[in-house]
Amino acid sequence: VTMPPPPDIVKVAIEWPGAFPKLMEIDQKKALTVIIKEVCDGWSVLSHESYALQHADGTNFYITEKNRNEIKNGAILRLTISPALNAQQLHERIQSSSMDAKLEALKDLASYSRDVTFAQEFINLDGISLLTQMVESGTERYQKLQKIMKPCYVPLLHFTETAFPDSTLYFSINCKPTFYMLFLKKIASFVNKSAMDVSILQRSLAILESMVLNSHDLYQKVAQEITIGQLIPHLQGTDQEIQTYTIAVINALFFKAPDDKRQEMANILAQKQLRAIILSHVIRANRAITTEMAHQLYVLQVLTFNLLEDRMMTKMDPQDQAQRDIIFELRRIAFDVESEPNSGSIEKRKSMYTRDYKKLGFINHVNPALDFTQTPPGMLALDNMLYFAKHHQDAYIRIVLENSSREDKHECPFGRSSIELTKMLCEILKVGDLPSETCNDFHPMFFTHDKAFEEFFCICIQLLNKTWKEMRATSEDFNKVMQVVREQIMRALSTKPNSLDQFKGKLQNLSYTEILKIRQSERMNQEDFQCPPIVMMKSEAKIKPRLCIEILKKKKKKRKKEGDRAFRKVGRRREAYKFWYCRLSPNHKVLHYGDLEENPQGEVPHDSLQDKLPVADIKAVVTGKDCPHMKEKGALKQNKEILELAFSILYDPEEALNFIAPDKHEYCLWTDGLNALLGKEMTSELTKNDLDTLLSMEMKLRLLDLENIQIPEAPPPIPDEPSNYDFVYDCN
């Protein structure tokens, strides 16, 4: 029997220019310098300290003590000059007097800069200062050679973005203020030019976004150099990548703006017609919206709605005459009071005000200002009421007069309803919450109007009044009505209407009667037996049958074998996603996995996945915060969405396969399938729901009157198709 090689021995092939590749066993216990000396001695190469090993797979990444454990059996490596020597040579070549040599050196620099080992060596030579001086050089000599020099900018920007994703660290450690200001001005000049190479513009926008997000000082400098007016033209083009990067920069400037400047920036965006431009050139352009674009639109939507937070958290001051005048205006519009009566006693006037405020549906009839002391919704509710009264006056007057003519207990109180509805809409739209790193749930209809939130409120307050009448509600039913209205709004929003009119149309089809039908249908589809005898039967050991568990285990294992897929690697948000693929062998004994350049469409064959992990070697399956990749990624610790989709397979000695599932369904399938393979309990929500379904079916079977009825062993045959389908019920 052939014994497997020790776990510390890795079999690789090593290349050297002009020689045949060597097959070699690397002992991971030995120091890397010792291994490099052995390789050099094999080819009689002197000065082994000037050499290093790197991957020959296209990445050309250097192998270091930190990453040497990533070398896999069968890997192809290359003996090459060390990163320090390579950086020294490139540093000299960049300063060549020949423009052609300088250009070639910059291209090589862009290629090598993807490797952090090389990048750090280049930084140590004060290479950033050299590059920054080159960028800011505007001498006549460079202007005359612009056609030759222009291609240098692309690798230079590529170097900056890829080697130094954290602009704060990069600029603060390696650049003097004068250098990075000159660098920033050069980048800004690329963005401000109307005709600029697409790749240069894309890199420039990415660097600007990184600067703004990572440093307050750099935010201020970028805000001085770049105006919204200079960014707008990039949104009016046809390149969606450029549009995405442009909105990302606008979002970054918006997000980092101080609280007292944020409203000012929103006003500038309104003046520049940003919303209308995005609507016509992005949302309504005849092409699919990418995931990253959807995320940036979602962020812009959140930041725009968050401008309402200040009013939402501001209590009304009963002594503030300007605020009290708004309530007077609501009364005047509703009851057409031309002027306040100066005649009559104070008591008489107070009595008249109290009567009108009661008709307007305030809780505090004597002093309605007290209704607006709860935060949220604070003064935002009063703002919405005034907007509705002024811009939809007929609907406002109709609602107020219609309800004031009803019996007290049957009237839908406009004031109270508006306050509670505003609070509900703020909860639905999560006003005040920071945008999620992974969400892309934007609503096109909110980009169709400059006062989207107010118009949203106007539609929903009329819906509330309509639902109140359909439910024939009384004052005791207020909370029930609000629950139905929330469901109507959420169901209509889930269809992603393209305009406010479409949203209104969706609500028309979601009457109270229709909501009852939907609820009834959902109850029928997921019937839950809650009466005590059934609950007791379900809890019996016999009625939670092993059969159910076995059925689920088979289902999960089958799903793991047939439907395994690519998983996203953890990386920076603006980086192109990298993927790796994992699947279970047909005999359920081995997990095959490997890296991929992009998300595969369809199944990846076993033989293309070089790496294997025997199921018998798996020590545990951990989830969420217990995963190694969640502990390492500090920024992700606060990201609830990522944490909820992360899981890892731990195996000997302390290695792990780290997963981030694309959605909750896949997460449940994988964690359940792995636990089923290991003979452990399946605890996901999906399993719980499936188990409940099986138990409910078991209950139904037990409750059926099946006495003297023979249940066949095999299912009955499927009958032939009928000659026609005239008997089918026509829903229309």
Side-chain angles (χ1 to χ4, degrees):
V1 179
T2 306
M3 294 296 291
D8 295 319
I9 301 298
V10 183
K11 294 184 177 181
V12 299
I14 300 180
E15 296 178 344
W16 172 249
F20 288 108
K22 275 187 178 180
L23 294 175
M24 183 174 177
E25 290 186 352
I26 290 179
D27 187 347
Q28 293 286 31
K29 292 180 190 174
K30 289 184 180 179
L32 196 56
T33 52
V34 174
I35 294 170
I36 292 169
K37 185 177 185 307
E38 290 176 0
V39 174
C40 289
D41 291 346
W43 273 304
S44 302
V45 176
L46 302 176
S47 304
H48 70 273
E49 59 275 359
S50 299
Y51 290 88
L53 292 172
Q54 66 179 181
H55 289 281
D57 57 1
T59 63
N60 297 332
F61 285 171
Y62 281 103
I63 292 165
T64 64
E65 289 291 355
K66 287 184 179 179
N67 65 24
R68 61 183 294 176
N69 289 329
E70 296 175 11
I71 302 173
K72 306 294 183 186
N73 278 317
I76 301 175
L77 309 181
R78 181 187 299 125
L79 183 67
T80 185
I81 59 172
S82 69
L85 185 58
N86 193 9
Q88 179 66 45
Q89 292 178 0
L90 270 170
H91 194 272
E92 293 169 3
R93 287 169 57 201
I94 287 170
Q95 300 175 76
S96 168
S97 57
S98 164
M99 193 59 67
D100 288 341
K102 193 186 293 284
L103 175 59
E104 288 303 314
L106 279 170
K107 286 180 179 177
D108 290 344
L109 177 63
S111 173
Y112 281 112
S113 68
R114 293 175 299 170
D115 187 352
V116 69
T117 309
F118 168 85
Q120 193 56 55
E121 294 290 349
F122 190 79
I123 290 170
N124 293 340
L125 296 171
D126 203 22
I128 300 300
S129 298
L130 174 63
L131 291 175
T132 312
Q133 287 173 313
M134 289 178 62
V135 172
E136 61 86 16
S137 293
T139 59
E140 289 184 12
R141 188 165 74 89
Y142 276 106
Q143 288 172 358
K144 288 176 183 177
L145 296 170
Q146 188 177 10
K147 286 185 179 178
I148 300 174
M149 193 64 188
K150 186 178 177 182
C152 298
Y153 293 135
V154 178
L156 184 57
L157 294 178
H158 178 75
F159 174 83
T160 309
E161 187 193 3
T162 54
F164 308 101
D166 187 344
S167 298
T168 313
L169 183 66
Y170 155 43
F171 283 111
S172 62
I173 293 177
N174 303 294
C175 290
K176 296 176 183 177
T178 42
F179 279 144
Y180 73 65
M181 274 309 300
L182 290 167
F183 182 80
L184 172 58
K185 285 180 182 293
K186 196 68 179 178
I187 301 261
S189 71
F190 297 155
V191 173
N192 294 338
K193 284 180 184 174
S194 55
M196 176 52 64
D197 183 274
V198 171
S199 56
I200 296 176
L201 180 58
Q202 185 173 312
R203 302 262 177 223
S204 300
L205 290 167
I207 291 170
L208 287 177
E209 185 204 10
S210 181
M211 286 179 173
V212 171
L213 289 176
N214 286 298
S215 166
H216 179 69
D217 290 339
L218 286 173
Y219 153 73
Q220 292 179 317
K221 299 290 188 283
V222 173
Q224 290 169 7
E225 292 294 327
I226 300 289
T227 66
I228 300 300
Q230 290 161 336
L231 292 170
I232 292 292
H234 300 311
L235 287 174
Q236 295 172 312
T238 56
D239 190 315
Q240 191 171 162
E241 280 291 309
I242 296 298
Q243 291 175 324
T244 304
Y245 278 89
T246 303
I247 297 176
V249 174
I250 292 171
N251 283 339
L253 290 168
F254 201 166
F255 183 68
K256 284 294 182 178
D259 292 342
D260 57 336
K261 296 284 185 184
R262 206 162 287 168
Q263 187 60 57
E264 183 182 322
M265 176 149 182
N267 295 337
I268 293 170
L269 296 178
Q271 290 166 13
K272 297 296 180 182
Q273 296 292 304
L274 177 72
R275 179 199 58 76
I277 289 168
I278 289 175
L279 182 66
S280 56
H281 292 276
V282 177
I283 296 174
R284 291 185 176 169
N286 291 322
R287 61 172 180 265
I289 292 176
T290 64
T291 302
E292 182 60 20
M293 173 62 87
H295 172 72
Q296 295 301 339
L297 292 174
Y298 153 79
V299 172
L300 182 57
Q301 173 185 293
V302 171
L303 295 176
T304 304
F305 284 141
N306 281 358
L307 293 171
L308 304 168
E309 185 181 13
D310 184 49
R311 293 294 281 174
M312 181 181 79
M313 301 308 293
T314 301
K315 295 181 179 181
M316 185 170 185
D317 180 3
Q319 306 306 317
D320 188 324
Q321 189 57 45
Q323 294 179 1
R324 291 166 63 87
D325 286 345
I326 298 176
I327 297 177
F328 292 148
E329 182 68 3
L330 289 172
R331 175 177 171 267
R332 186 195 67 75
I333 295 172
F335 304 113
D336 197 25
V337 180
E338 290 298 332
S339 61
E340 293 299 329
N342 295 318
S343 59
S345 65
I346 294 174
E347 287 75 15
K348 185 176 179 182
R349 275 184 287 164
K350 279 186 177 179
S351 174
M352 184 169 57
Y353 291 159
T354 301
R355 181 199 67 203
D356 289 347
Y357 292 149
K358 185 175 183 299
K359 289 180 180 178
L360 281 169
F362 291 112
I363 296 173
N364 294 283
H365 308 152
V366 177
N367 186 4
L370 297 175
D371 284 19
F372 300 96
T373 54
Q374 179 194 2
T375 55
M379 287 296 291
L380 186 59
L382 191 57
D383 295 344
N384 282 340
M385 293 166 72
L386 183 63
Y387 182 90
F388 181 50
K390 284 189 168 182
H391 294 84
H392 299 270
Q393 197 170 113
D394 291 344
Y396 167 68
I397 293 171
R398 187 181 70 250
I399 286 176
V400 173
L401 295 183
E402 188 179 280
N403 284 294
S404 62
S405 63
R406 292 179 181 172
E407 294 177 56
D408 285 354
K409 69 173 186 175
H410 281 288
E411 68 174 12
C412 177
F414 174 72
R416 183 186 176 193
S417 298
S418 297
I419 293 167
E420 291 299 323
L421 179 64
T422 301
K423 183 180 178 182
M424 180 198 292
L425 298 184
C426 289
E427 290 170 358
I428 289 172
L429 298 177
K430 298 181 179 173
V431 174
D433 288 3
L434 291 176
S436 161
E437 279 287 326
T438 55
C439 185
N440 53 20
D441 186 27
F442 83 98
H443 292 279
M445 74 178 195
F446 291 132
F447 289 84
T448 62
H449 203 285
D450 289 327
K451 294 287 185 180
F453 185 80
E454 290 85 346
E455 288 293 324
F456 186 42
F457 168 83
C458 293
I459 293 169
C460 293
I461 192 66
Q462 293 176 74
L463 166 73
L464 193 154
N465 192 63
K466 173 174 170 282
T467 302
W468 184 283
K469 288 188 290 185
E470 290 173 351
M471 293 178 68
R472 297 178 183 174
T474 63
S475 51
E476 289 83 9
D477 300 321
F478 188 88
N479 290 333
K480 290 180 183 176
V481 175
M482 295 304 292
Q483 287 172 7
V484 173
V485 169
R486 177 187 279 270
E487 187 173 344
Q488 290 170 312
I489 294 169
M490 294 299 289
R491 287 186 184 277
L493 281 178
S494 67
T495 64
K496 292 292 174 67
N498 290 320
S499 66
L500 290 163
D501 283 339
Q502 268 194 29
F503 175 68
K504 204 184 297 184
K506 299 286 183 187
L507 291 176
Q508 289 292 332
N509 296 327
L510 284 169
S511 63
Y512 176 57
T513 308
E514 187 60 30
I515 290 292
L516 287 178
K517 287 180 182 176
I518 293 170
R519 286 178 175 178
Q520 179 66 21
S521 172
E522 289 177 350
R523 269 198 298 270
M524 293 285 289
N525 290 336
Q526 43 186 310
E527 188 173 343
D528 191 12
F529 299 96
Q530 294 299 332
C531 60
I534 302 297
V535 172
M536 186 177 69
M537 286 176 69
K538 285 171 71 173
S539 65
E540 289 178 18
K542 291 180 182 177
I543 307 304
K544 200 165 184 180
R546 288 179 186 158
L547 176 62
C548 290
I549 305 297
E550 289 306 315
I551 289 170
L552 292 177
K553 280 189 177 180
K554 286 179 182 177
K555 175 183 171 185
K556 307 290 181 181
K557 287 181 183 178
K558 186 179 179 187
R559 176 62 182 81
K560 268 190 69 13
K561 184 172 67 176
E562 295 179 354
D564 298 346
R565 57 177 298 159
F567 293 89
R568 178 162 62 88
K569 285 199 164 184
V570 180
R572 293 191 296 121
R573 177 170 59 77
R574 295 218 57 82
E575 266 185 0
Y577 285 158
K578 298 206 181 235
F579 297 91
W580 70 286
Y581 195 90
C582 186
R583 64 175 298 165
L584 185 65
S585 63
N587 63 4
H588 297 182
K589 302 228 171 179
V590 179
L591 283 171
H592 297 261
Y593 62 95
D595 288 341
L596 298 172
E597 287 300 317
E598 57 185 21
N599 197 355
Q601 304 298 317
E603 193 176 281
V604 175
H606 285 92
D607 52 11
S608 66
L609 303 173
Q610 300 298 324
D611 302 306
K612 298 177 183 178
L613 171 61
V615 172
D617 290 351
I618 297 175
K619 302 298 180 189
V621 176
V622 294
T623 61
K625 292 181 180 177
D626 297 329
C627 296
H629 57 317
M630 292 298 102
K631 291 176 183 174
E632 291 170 10
K633 297 284 173 182
L636 291 174
K637 285 187 180 178
Q638 306 303 322
N639 195 323
K640 189 178 176 185
E641 290 89 347
I642 293 290
L643 278 175
E644 288 179 348
L645 298 176
F647 62 98
S648 298
I649 297 174
L650 306 183
Y651 60 95
D652 193 53
E654 292 182 356
E655 297 294 327
L657 292 182
N658 298 318
F659 299 75
I660 295 178
D663 52 52
K664 194 68 178 174
H665 183 75
E666 287 290 332
Y667 169 85
C668 293
L669 284 171
W670 268 81
T671 52
D672 283 341
L674 289 166
N675 282 322
L677 278 172
L678 300 175
K680 296 182 180 178
E681 186 180 355
M682 299 179 291
T683 57
S684 79
E685 293 174 16
L686 195 61
T687 293
K688 184 178 179 302
N689 292 338
D690 287 348
L691 187 57
D692 285 344
T693 302
L694 286 168
L695 288 173
S696 295
M697 290 171 65
E698 177 73 14
M699 289 302 98
K700 288 177 183 178
L701 286 171
R702 289 184 175 235
L703 293 171
L704 283 174
D705 184 8
L706 298 178
E707 192 173 347
N708 298 323
I709 294 177
Q710 296 244 338
I711 299 176
E713 294 288 331
I718 299 172
D720 295 335
E721 286 192 20
S723 57
N724 64 67
Y725 291 88
D726 294 342
F727 58 86
V728 175
Y729 177 69
D730 187 358
C731 296
N732 299 320

